[in-house]
Amino acid sequence: MFYQKTHLEENIEYWYKSNSILTPSEIDMVMIANLMDIWIHFHKKNSVMVKINDLYSIVLDSRKTKNEQWQDFAHELGHVINHVGIQHNLSKSFRMRQEYQANNFMYHFCVPTFMLLSFDVNNYANINDGVEFVSKTFHVTEEFSKKRLIHFRNQLFQAKVDENHRRQMESRYPKAPPYSQETMKIVEQALYLKARKERMKIRA
């Protein structure tokens, strides 16, 4: 099955592979912080990212489990990578958007898609069958694992829909393919954006 990764998925995959992190067992929060020149501190307070003189620190809640701290670290790392500015100086709607983006980054960084795809993805058709496996393999909570798998299943379903559509088009217009790689990327991106727009309409 052809699976079109999003830009976020591709960027995370590139970062992990560039740092020779290829399997879940090689993911280490402290090592990642060192690679990114980020200081980690533990206090009995809500997890937060702090920037002082262009140096970043992530303060993690010492009352939480290691899995929860890892998830919080990834969330705050999403702010470090994607956002600039002090959150409380921003409008509520903008802060909500940044929190959504940081959460999305968190789910993909803690459980990278390219690593998920290395396992038998058919096992994730039934979410409950994969929750415990993903939780133990990637060191995340079961609640986190379930949400990540639901999102991943939706992406796989969309990939299958796109693949069926592509086959139908090829059967109707047999002279059209093969397309260049550049053309295929444009077509896949257009299909992805169209499907996402339709899903947003349904949610609204």
Side-chain angles (χ1 to χ4, degrees):
M1 180 185 66
F2 178 82
Y3 180 85
Q4 178 67 48
K5 296 186 182 75
T6 65
H7 292 306
L8 176 60
E9 290 171 322
E10 289 178 341
N11 289 337
I12 288 175
E13 178 178 359
Y14 175 80
W15 187 88
Y16 271 121
K17 288 184 176 179
S18 296
N19 289 283
S20 300
I21 303 173
L22 306 178
T23 64
S25 62
E26 295 171 323
I27 297 176
D28 181 84
M29 180 178 72
V30 175
M31 180 184 68
I32 291 172
N34 289 336
L35 289 171
M36 294 190 172
D37 293 323
I38 296 173
W39 293 87
I40 297 179
H41 307 276
F42 296 90
H43 292 287
K44 291 182 180 180
K45 58 187 294 186
N46 293 335
S47 300
V48 66
M49 177 270 289
V50 180
K51 179 183 179 183
I52 302 177
N53 297 327
D54 293 327
L55 296 176
Y56 290 96
S57 293
I58 292 179
V59 180
L60 297 175
D61 192 337
S62 61
R63 298 164 297 185
K64 291 188 174 183
T65 66
K66 288 186 178 180
N67 286 2
E68 291 172 329
Q69 289 172 352
W70 163 230
Q71 293 164 193
D72 283 359
F73 173 84
H75 176 93
E76 299 305 330
L77 181 61
H79 286 305
V80 172
I81 292 175
N82 298 310
H83 306 138
V84 178
I86 301 175
Q87 294 258 343
H88 63 257
N89 287 336
L90 303 173
S91 68
K92 182 178 179 180
S93 61
F94 198 78
R95 288 200 308 271
M96 289 177 63
R97 181 185 176 203
Q98 289 197 342
E99 286 302 307
Y100 170 80
Q101 292 173 336
N103 275 333
N104 191 42
F105 177 88
M106 170 186 69
Y107 283 110
H108 284 86
F109 195 78
C110 287
V111 186
T113 298
F114 81 97
M115 292 187 189
L116 269 181
L117 289 170
S118 68
F119 299 104
D120 186 359
V121 295
N122 291 324
N123 290 337
Y124 307 131
N126 184 335
I127 295 299
N128 293 328
D129 291 343
V131 168
E132 184 178 0
F133 169 76
V134 170
S135 176
K136 290 182 177 179
T137 302
F138 291 91
H139 305 292
V140 295
T141 65
E142 289 196 354
E143 179 183 3
F144 183 102
S145 174
K146 184 174 183 178
K147 290 181 179 178
R148 180 64 176 99
L149 285 177
I150 288 173
H151 182 264
F152 185 57
R153 181 182 62 179
N154 291 340
Q155 289 177 293
L156 289 176
F157 175 76
Q158 186 59 51
K160 290 181 180 179
V161 171
D162 292 343
E163 185 175 31
N164 289 336
H165 179 266
R166 184 165 51 251
R167 288 176 178 174
Q168 289 178 0
M169 294 300 291
E170 289 176 356
S171 64
R172 291 177 63 183
Y173 306 101
K175 295 183 180 181
Y179 300 112
S180 67
Q181 290 185 347
E182 292 78 10
T183 300
M184 286 302 299
K185 284 186 177 181
I186 293 173
V187 171
E188 293 297 333
Q189 186 65 17
L191 289 172
Y192 170 77
L193 292 174
K194 180 180 179 181
R196 187 173 68 172
K197 185 177 180 181
E198 292 298 322
R199 289 197 299 269
M200 290 178 68
K201 286 182 180 179
I202 294 174
R203 291 175 183 173

